[in-house]
């Protein structure tokens, strides 16, 4: 099998199964406890879609795990997990892993080549979007894969990255149609961090310290969160572009398009998600007894239900 090798150095996530398990063991239990008893019709109660952050696990691993594990413990079969990464500007093609599988610390994950190849053919019908092989080193997909392998050990993988462009919303709808055409039970996970604030990122519009942190949490990130929860893909893209509140809005748009297409089979046709959990990297640093750092990042987990 032609495997895509990991590119992230040690420190992004644990490098062996026991440490991964030690980190993730409690999240399925916590999600089940938070939702109470299981819904009577779980397959109709949750759209199989979520968005997670993609920083190192030390900073955002708990937020990401809540999104990835949102379906854990429910009797929802998942044959393939599509992880949609980003870090792509407007005009870029959709990028796909073209290998047979990917290497993860727990072994490997097989690429769903039938879904990938059919989806690539189908997006040729989207004006302004092309497909290409992902030949780049990037964290937006890889950092989430050990979680996927842990919570969905038998699932295959679709690895793609989408640009910051409204064509990515259409791509998400096409992905949903493609999965239906192949009778594929699919979970879609988008990948983005929120506001990158501070001198490290060249973005300091509201001072430093408490004033800056409060502005990121309650204004800048909040406006992006509101756009996702309103199901407004145009606002998601506009706020990411002009307010620098998402580094990978194309991934979010892909999930929103997928969710809207899945919902079109029912009476609630929209792309609105719900914030599941939120924090910043400053919170992590302050929990260690340090002050507010000069640079920090916002992290949010969203689910569609």
């Amino acid at each position: 099998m032609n495997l895509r090798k990991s590119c992230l150095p040690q420190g992004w996530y644990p490098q062996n199964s026991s440490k991964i398990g030690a980190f993730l063991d409690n999240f399925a239990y916590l999600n089940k406890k938070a939702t109470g008893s299981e819904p009577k019709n779980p397959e109709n109660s949750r759209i199989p879609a979520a968005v997670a952050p993609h920083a190192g696990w030390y900073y955002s691993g708990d937020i990401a795990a809540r999104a990835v594990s949102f379906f854990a413990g429910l009797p929802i079969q998942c044959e393939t997990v599509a992880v949609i990464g980003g870090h792509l500007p407007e005009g870029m093609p959709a990028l796909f892993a073209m290998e047979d599988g990917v290497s993860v610390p727990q072994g490997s994950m097989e690429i769903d080549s039938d879904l990938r190849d059919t989806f690539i053919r189908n997006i040729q019908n989207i004006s302004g979007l092309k497909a290409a092989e992902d030949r780049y080193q990037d964290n937006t997909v890889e950092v989430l894969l050990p979680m996927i392998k842990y919570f969905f050990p038998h699932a295959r993988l679709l690895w793609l990255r989408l640009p910051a462009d409204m064509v990515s919303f259409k791509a998400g709808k096409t992905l949903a149609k493609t999965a239906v055409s192949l009778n594929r039970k699919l979970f879609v996970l988008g990948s983005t961090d929120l506001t990158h604030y501070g001198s490290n990122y060249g973005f300091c519009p509201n001072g430093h310290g408490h004033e800056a942190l409060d502005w990121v949490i309650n204004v800048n990130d909040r406006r992006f969160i509101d756009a996702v929860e309103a199901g407004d893909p145009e606002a998601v893209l506009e706020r990411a572009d002009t307010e620098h509140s998402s580094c990978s809005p194309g991934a979010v748009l892909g999930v929103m398009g997928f969710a809207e297409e899945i919902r079109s089979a029912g009476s609630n046709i929209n792309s609105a998600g719900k914030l599941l959990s939120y924090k910043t990297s400053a919170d992590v640093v302050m929990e260690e007894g340090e002050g507010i750092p000069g640079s920090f990042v916002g992290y949010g987990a969203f689910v569609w239900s």
Side-chain angles (χ1 to χ4, degrees), residues 39 69 123 136 143 153 216 220 224 284 301 304:
S69 67
I123 64 172
Y136 306 96
V143 75
V216 168
N220 214 50
F224 184 85
V284 178
W304 275 254

Side-chain angles (χ1 to χ4, degrees), residues 95-158:
L95 299 182
F96 293 82
M98 300 303 293
E99 294 87 355
D100 301 320
V102 300
S103 178
V104 293
Q106 305 99 310
S108 63
M109 296 184 67
E110 181 185 353
I111 295 286
D112 189 339
S113 58
D114 289 340
L115 177 64
R116 178 194 63 200
D117 296 345
T118 305
F119 181 46
I120 288 174
R121 289 194 296 270
N122 289 343
I123 64 172
Q124 305 305 315
N125 297 319
I126 300 176
S127 177
L129 183 63
K130 296 182 179 180
E133 182 175 1
D134 192 350
R135 297 178 178 272
Y136 306 96
Q137 293 188 345
D138 180 79
N139 61 297
T140 58
V141 175
E142 181 186 329
V143 75
L144 297 172
L145 297 186
M147 294 188 184
I148 297 294
K149 182 66 172 178
Y150 178 87
F151 289 112
F152 304 94
H154 305 297
R156 289 182 289 176
L157 174 69
L158 176 66

Side-chain angles (χ1 to χ4, degrees), residues 73-302:
L74 292 177
I76 298 176
Q77 295 180 359
C78 175
E79 296 171 332
T80 299
V81 178
V83 183
I84 307 177
H87 285 166
L88 298 178
E90 179 183 6
M92 284 287 289
L95 299 182
F96 293 82
M98 300 303 293
E99 294 87 355
D100 301 320
V102 300
S103 178
V104 293
Q106 305 99 310
S108 63
M109 296 184 67
E110 181 185 353
I111 295 286
D112 189 339
S113 58
D114 289 340
L115 177 64
R116 178 194 63 200
D117 296 345
T118 305
F119 181 46
I120 288 174
R121 289 194 296 270
N122 289 343
I123 64 172
Q124 305 305 315
N125 297 319
I126 300 176
S127 177
L129 183 63
K130 296 182 179 180
E133 182 175 1
D134 192 350
R135 297 178 178 272
Y136 306 96
Q137 293 188 345
D138 180 79
N139 61 297
T140 58
V141 175
E142 181 186 329
V143 75
L144 297 172
L145 297 186
M147 294 188 184
I148 297 294
K149 182 66 172 178
Y150 178 87
F151 289 112
F152 304 94
H154 305 297
R156 289 182 289 176
L157 174 69
L158 176 66
W159 168 314
L160 73 149
R161 293 196 284 140
L162 291 176
D165 194 308
M166 281 304 298
V167 295
S168 293
F169 183 77
K170 297 178 181 179
K173 295 176 75 70
T174 299
L175 178 58
K177 294 175 182 177
T178 303
V180 170
S181 73
L182 296 175
N183 195 30
R184 189 77 84 250
K185 294 184 183 297
L186 183 66
F187 168 43
V188 175
L189 179 68
S191 170
T192 191
D193 292 340
L194 303 181
T195 302
H196 289 58
Y197 191 95
S199 57
N200 287 355
Y201 309 110
F203 184 63
C204 307
N206 215 61
H208 301 280
H210 288 285
E211 181 180 0
L213 183 59
D214 181 74
W215 178 80
V216 168
I217 293 171
N218 295 307
V219 179
N220 214 50
D221 278 352
R222 184 70 251 178
R223 281 174 53 79
F224 184 85
I225 291 165
D226 287 346
V228 175
E229 294 194 319
D232 189 340
E234 290 85 2
V236 164
L237 185 59
E238 188 272 335
R239 290 173 186 175
D241 181 42
T242 63
E243 300 173 7
H244 307 286
S245 52
S246 170
C247 63
S248 301
V252 181
L253 294 175
V255 173
M256 294 175 74
F258 175 83
E260 182 170 287
E261 187 63 31
I262 294 296
R263 284 174 172 158
S264 68
S267 59
N268 185 20
I269 305 174
N270 64 71
S271 60
K274 181 176 178 59
L275 183 69
L276 181 67
S277 188
Y278 173 87
K279 73 175 183 182
T280 72
S281 60
D283 298 318
V284 178
V285 172
M286 290 188 292
E287 287 173 0
E288 297 293 329
E290 300 183 22
I292 298 174
S295 299
F296 53 89
V297 180
Y299 308 121
F302 299 87

